[in-house]
Amino acid sequence: MADKARRLIRPHSSPKRARRTEFDLIDLVRRRSQRRPADDSSLSALGTQHSALIKGIGDDAAVVRAGRARADTVVTVDLLVEGVDFRLKTTTPRLLGHKALAVSLSDVAAMGARPRWALLSIGAPARVWRGRFLDEFYEGFFALADAHGVRLIGGDVSRTEGGEGAAGEAPLVVDSIVIGEARGGRAVFRSGARPGDLIFVTGSLGGAAAGLRLLEERGRVPAGADALAGEFAHAPAESSKLTQSQARRLLMLRQLRPAARVEWGHALGEGRMATAMIDLSDGLSSDLAHLCRESRVGADIDAARIPIDPLIEASARFTPAQALRLALGGGEDFELLFTVSPRKASKLPEALGRVPVRQIGEVTDRAYAVRLVERGRARRLRPSGFRHF
Amino acid sequence: MADKARRLIRPHSSPKRARRTEFDLIDLVRRRSQRRPADDSSLSALGTQHSALIKGIGDDAAVVRAGRARADTVVTVDLLVEGVDFRLKTTTPRLLGHKALAVSLSDVAAMGARPRWALLSIGAPARVWRGRFLDEFYEGFFALADAHGVRLIGGDVSRTEGGEGAAGEAPLVVDSIVIGEARGGRAVFRSGARPGDLIFVTGSLGGAAAGLRLLEERGRVPAGADALAGEFAHAPAESSKLTQSQARRLLMLRQLRPAARVEWGHALGEGRMATAMIDLSDGLSSDLAHLCRESRVGADIDAARIPIDPLIEASARFTPAQALRLALGGGEDFELLFTVSPRKASKLPEALGRVPVRQIGEVTDRAYAVRLVERGRARRLRPSGFRHF
């Protein structure tokens, strides 16, 4: 299928483009996208339960076929702009490729759906086309895609140049599209939480924001970040054995290489466990406020139950009060925040893979009022309360 | 459904963003996206034959439900970068919004599918956030979306800044995603052409490339382009009544405001008429070569049958030889090129709406050889033959 295609991701016709490099890249991406993910056979074994790829890279558009009627298709897109969402000095191409996909996987997970297909648009200035930047970027992207059985089925590539009257170089921009699927009616919205539901969060909080502080102070990515990322897994149990320096480097990876809670998201949707769900991209206080507004409810959060990332303490760089603020207001943890009715909460597993969940509070009928309960006293948690550190 | 949402297209958490403007824009886009297109009721009337919107802008991702099993979902993405794909001096915000959607609609049409859903990512520098640029951009986008019953269901917005060491302003970048649907197995690929099939093309060719020359010479968009675009329709019959100046301005609109052959594309797929199809984005010679390579066939094109845009002659700016070159090698006409088996060709309508088709040649078994037959002599047509004018 499209084996002979040379023009795969659609380059535009402008002669101003770095055409040869573009074709080299497209060829690399096409070949890599045709390699089947490790767990693809298990998906195929489920037969008509899943959508199937009919036409991948190499035509005017990609085609996938729904496996059953009333299948819900979930679509998200995330634009990452150099200088706004990332800096090349404080990440690596491989980590950036991972993160570009992770943020969109997280959105699909937060809908209770299983991510299946990805498309990727890249606008890159001349300095990025040179060398192995894009090769390494795609290695990071595909490593994460393979881990979750996601296939790249399309995209677009272009040069970027400075805008009107620009003297300097244009930024690298990456637009990441992920398409997922859920059984009809099982997608989970932000709007389904009811008073009395229990509030849960996956993993731990504050690590990404702590890592961002450390990266900004340091001004550059730590040496060996790619290798460290290779060994890196969510390992709160071992954090007591880490040196401060190790803990700090791992915190930076929390920022640069977020995990997307794909298994949790899909399990919560498929099992009809969650009444509402959102991923923590802006921070617990902001994202919980979004969920409450959509559901027209309030929430009480128990400060003592918030799973603060143990790497923060191990780094010996933040006070306990700072750690709590990072966990409440720091963004980009990409954990899942969800609500469960009391009668179903006992059926919720304590962990999935190595990723735990913890109950941190309860949904109330005080519309839109998000409160933090600390040592028996409740205070209003403002959505943007802890943005400025 | 998500009526109370204030955070709709997902802005990122970075405090560096022009947050208030972003929210204003998101609010505008959300309200506009909830207005139903004029012909939406006719689609709903078809009931389960079509996918339905379950969740639009306002959650972690959009959700659509397939109307039937074995529905084929078609996805495409096109990245437009300022300074590479367009210049703000030679277009208007409204025309740019139209074109951003049109190029992706054209891809979906070329698959024989019906476009249904759109997502749009915009990275814009400060100068674009000021004033009414983005409002007008979205007006152009939504006018075309409404005309084809396409709903905006998601997207992302961001500031752009110059890259590493950049002194100037960053470019405007637009990433346009369109999702379409086809009855299972009816999508049309580039790969299905067989020797003996007849080759057809919709509309007329060369106008967009001629318009680009005129725009580049002039260096700025003609005054009143938006108003002219409002009256503008595909009107080859009246071209003889136009003044040279009118013809030139309309040629510029061929470049700035391409039509996407949505009705033709869907009819050809749904009716199983086309054996292979591609949209003309690079130009007839290039795109026919792509189709032949994918189908492992050749093609003979009759020069006398090529429907050269009558506006080119009416403009009195190009010689007949130049006009033929523009029609063969000029890109961005966004007409459909397709092949039909001889036994089905008689069933092909001569026009759909006001858009005619014309047979221009025949598929041969001379693998990959694309030839132009002119006054009884055949010569090889190189894919990039007429790129440099």
Side-chain angles (χ1 to χ4, degrees):
Chain A
M1 206 151 61
D3 286 336
K4 292 287 172 189
R6 278 161 57 198
R7 185 163 162 282
L8 294 143
I9 293 184
R10 299 191 53 211
H12 295 276
S13 59
S14 167
K16 288 176 236 90
R17 302 218 176 195
R19 181 161 282 275
R20 212 179 52 172
T21 324
E22 213 171 273
F23 275 95
D24 293 346
L25 176 70
I26 288 161
D27 201 48
L28 164 90
V29 171
R30 180 208 58 166
R31 280 185 279 110
R32 187 60 180 76
S33 77
Q34 288 174 346
R35 207 191 296 168
R36 282 174 164 268
D39 70 345
D40 201 48
S41 59
S42 65
L43 292 180
S44 312
L46 293 172
T48 55
Q49 294 302 297
H50 288 278
S51 59
L53 183 62
I54 304 294
K55 197 84 182 178
I57 294 174
D59 214 298
D60 292 283
V63 182
V64 296
R65 182 165 302 166
R68 57 187 153 211
R70 282 179 51 86
D72 283 349
T73 300
V74 174
V75 194
T76 189
V77 56
D78 288 275
L79 180 66
L80 300 179
V81 178
E82 183 188 352
V84 177
D85 298 292
F86 62 89
R87 294 178 197 286
L88 293 186
K89 278 185 184 164
T90 54
T91 188
T92 71
R94 200 179 303 260
L95 292 167
L96 186 62
H98 172 102
K99 186 164 178 176
L101 179 60
V103 297
S104 296
L105 291 179
S106 182
D107 284 327
V108 169
M111 301 303 288
R114 179 195 289 279
R116 294 297 313 281
W117 318 108
L119 297 91
L120 191 64
S121 288
I122 298 186
R127 68 195 146 87
V128 168
W129 282 99
R130 289 188 289 265
R132 287 193 35 85
F133 186 101
L134 288 170
D135 303 68
E136 290 175 15
F137 175 92
Y138 275 107
E139 283 169 19
F141 180 93
F142 279 118
L144 181 63
D146 287 356
H148 294 297
V150 169
R151 290 278 290 269
L152 185 72
I153 60 172
D156 201 357
V157 287
S158 176
R159 278 190 314 126
T160 54
E161 288 188 351
E164 246 164 42
E169 272 220 272
L172 172 64
V173 294
V174 179
D175 203 34
S176 165
I177 300 122
V178 171
I179 300 174
E181 62 188 340
R183 205 184 289 262
R186 305 245 173 142
V188 182
F189 308 137
R190 296 177 178 176
S191 51
R194 297 291 164 258
D197 285 356
L198 306 181
I199 301 170
F200 290 85
V201 70
T202 61
S204 63
L205 303 182
L212 181 61
R213 302 302 143 96
L214 296 171
L215 277 170
E216 283 176 352
E217 284 171 8
R218 190 188 168 92
R220 59 190 165 79
V221 66
D226 281 349
L228 187 63
E231 307 163 21
F232 179 55
H234 192 89
E238 295 88 4
S239 62
S240 58
K241 298 177 190 161
L242 296 172
T243 66
Q244 291 175 10
S245 162
Q246 285 172 322
R248 289 178 190 189
R249 283 191 299 152
L250 288 172
L251 279 176
M252 294 184 226
L253 285 181
R254 287 269 200 263
Q255 165 64 217
L256 299 175
R257 193 180 184 280
R261 299 309 184 194
V262 170
E263 291 75 17
W264 264 116
H266 180 244
L268 291 165
E270 184 72 15
R272 295 180 189 273
M273 292 296 291
T275 53
M277 183 149 55
I278 190 170
D279 76 326
L280 294 178
S281 52
D282 285 356
L284 177 61
S285 57
S286 295
D287 291 319
L288 181 56
H290 298 315
L291 187 147
C292 285
R293 196 166 44 228
E294 292 292 321
S295 296
R296 304 171 186 223
V297 296
D300 280 356
I301 296 298
D302 184 345
R305 293 198 189 201
I306 293 172
I308 297 171
D309 196 320
L311 290 172
I312 298 177
E313 189 184 345
S315 74
R317 168 60 187 75
F318 303 94
T319 66
Q322 286 176 321
L324 179 62
R325 287 184 181 201
L326 288 167
L328 288 169
E332 301 212 292
D333 282 319
F334 296 105
E335 298 291 353
L336 294 176
L337 178 74
F338 58 96
T339 56
V340 180
S341 74
R343 104 192 135 73
K344 286 196 177 173
S346 61
K347 294 178 196 155
L348 198 67
E350 283 180 18
L352 209 57
R354 299 166 64 188
V355 183
V357 287
R358 193 186 293 183
Q359 193 214 325
I360 60 168
E362 201 174 315
V363 177
T364 70
D365 57 7
R366 292 178 203 91
Y368 314 163
V370 177
R371 306 191 310 174
L372 185 72
V373 182
E374 205 169 3
R375 289 183 289 274
R377 287 183 54 201
R379 62 189 165 103
R380 193 69 173 261
L381 197 55
R382 286 169 50 230
S384 55
F386 299 103
R387 181 154 293 143
H388 303 290
F389 190 59
Chain B
M1 205 150 62
D3 286 336
K4 292 287 172 190
R6 277 163 56 198
R7 184 165 161 281
L8 295 144
I9 292 185
R10 300 191 53 213
H12 295 276
S13 58
S14 165
K16 288 175 237 90
R17 301 218 177 195
R19 181 163 281 274
R20 210 181 51 171
T21 323
E22 215 171 271
F23 275 96
D24 293 346
L25 177 69
I26 288 162
D27 201 47
L28 164 89
V29 171
R30 181 210 56 167
R31 280 185 281 109
R32 188 57 181 78
S33 76
Q34 288 172 346
R35 206 191 297 169
R36 282 175 163 265
D39 69 343
D40 201 48
S41 57
S42 64
L43 292 179
S44 311
L46 293 171
T48 56
Q49 294 302 297
H50 288 276
S51 59
L53 184 62
I54 304 295
K55 196 84 182 177
I57 295 173
D59 214 297
D60 292 282
V63 182
V64 296
R65 181 164 302 166
R68 55 188 153 209
R70 283 178 51 85
D72 283 349
T73 299
V74 173
V75 194
T76 190
V77 56
D78 288 274
L79 180 66
L80 299 180
V81 179
E82 183 190 351
V84 178
D85 298 292
F86 63 90
R87 295 178 196 287
L88 293 187
K89 279 185 185 164
T90 54
T91 188
T92 70
R94 199 179 302 258
L95 291 168
L96 187 62
H98 173 103
K99 186 165 179 175
L101 179 60
V103 298
S104 297
L105 291 180
S106 182
D107 283 328
V108 169
M111 302 303 287
R114 180 195 288 278
R116 295 296 314 280
W117 318 109
L119 297 91
L120 191 64
S121 288
I122 298 185
R127 69 194 145 88
V128 168
W129 282 99
R130 289 190 289 265
R132 288 193 33 88
F133 186 101
L134 288 170
D135 304 67
E136 291 176 13
F137 175 92
Y138 276 107
E139 283 169 19
F141 181 93
F142 279 119
L144 182 62
D146 287 356
H148 293 297
V150 169
R151 289 280 290 268
L152 185 72
I153 61 172
D156 201 357
V157 287
S158 176
R159 277 190 316 127
T160 54
E161 287 189 351
E164 245 163 42
E169 272 220 270
L172 171 65
V173 293
V174 179
D175 204 33
S176 164
I177 299 122
V178 171
I179 299 174
E181 63 188 339
R183 206 184 288 263
R186 305 245 172 143
V188 183
F189 307 138
R190 296 177 177 177
S191 52
R194 296 293 165 255
D197 284 356
L198 305 181
I199 302 170
F200 290 84
V201 70
T202 61
S204 63
L205 304 182
L212 182 60
R213 300 304 141 97
L214 296 171
L215 276 169
E216 283 177 350
E217 285 170 8
R218 189 187 169 93
R220 59 189 165 77
V221 67
D226 281 351
L228 187 62
E231 308 163 21
F232 181 54
H234 192 87
E238 296 87 6
S239 63
S240 59
K241 297 179 191 161
L242 297 171
T243 66
Q244 291 176 11
S245 162
Q246 285 172 323
R248 289 178 190 188
R249 283 191 300 152
L250 288 172
L251 279 176
M252 294 182 225
L253 285 181
R254 288 271 200 260
Q255 165 64 219
L256 298 175
R257 192 179 184 281
R261 299 311 184 192
V262 171
E263 291 75 18
W264 264 115
H266 180 245
L268 291 166
E270 184 73 13
R272 296 181 190 272
M273 292 295 291
T275 53
M277 184 149 53
I278 190 171
D279 75 326
L280 294 178
S281 52
D282 285 355
L284 177 61
S285 57
S286 296
D287 291 319
L288 181 56
H290 298 316
L291 187 148
C292 285
R293 196 166 44 232
E294 293 292 322
S295 295
R296 305 174 186 219
V297 295
D300 280 356
I301 297 297
D302 185 345
R305 292 197 188 199
I306 293 171
I308 297 172
D309 195 321
L311 290 173
I312 299 179
E313 189 184 343
S315 76
R317 167 61 186 74
F318 303 93
T319 66
Q322 285 176 323
L324 180 61
R325 288 184 181 201
L326 288 166
L328 288 168
E332 301 212 291
D333 283 319
F334 296 105
E335 298 292 351
L336 295 176
L337 178 75
F338 59 96
T339 56
V340 179
S341 74
R343 108 192 132 73
K344 285 195 178 175
S346 61
K347 294 178 197 155
L348 199 67
E350 281 179 20
L352 208 59
R354 297 165 65 187
V355 183
V357 287
R358 193 187 291 184
Q359 191 213 327
I360 59 168
E362 201 174 315
V363 177
T364 69
D365 57 7
R366 293 178 202 91
Y368 313 163
V370 177
R371 305 191 310 173
L372 185 72
V373 182
E374 206 170 3
R375 288 184 289 274
R377 289 181 54 200
R379 62 191 166 102
R380 193 67 173 262
L381 197 56
R382 288 167 50 229
S384 55
F386 298 104
R387 181 153 293 140
H388 303 292
F389 189 58

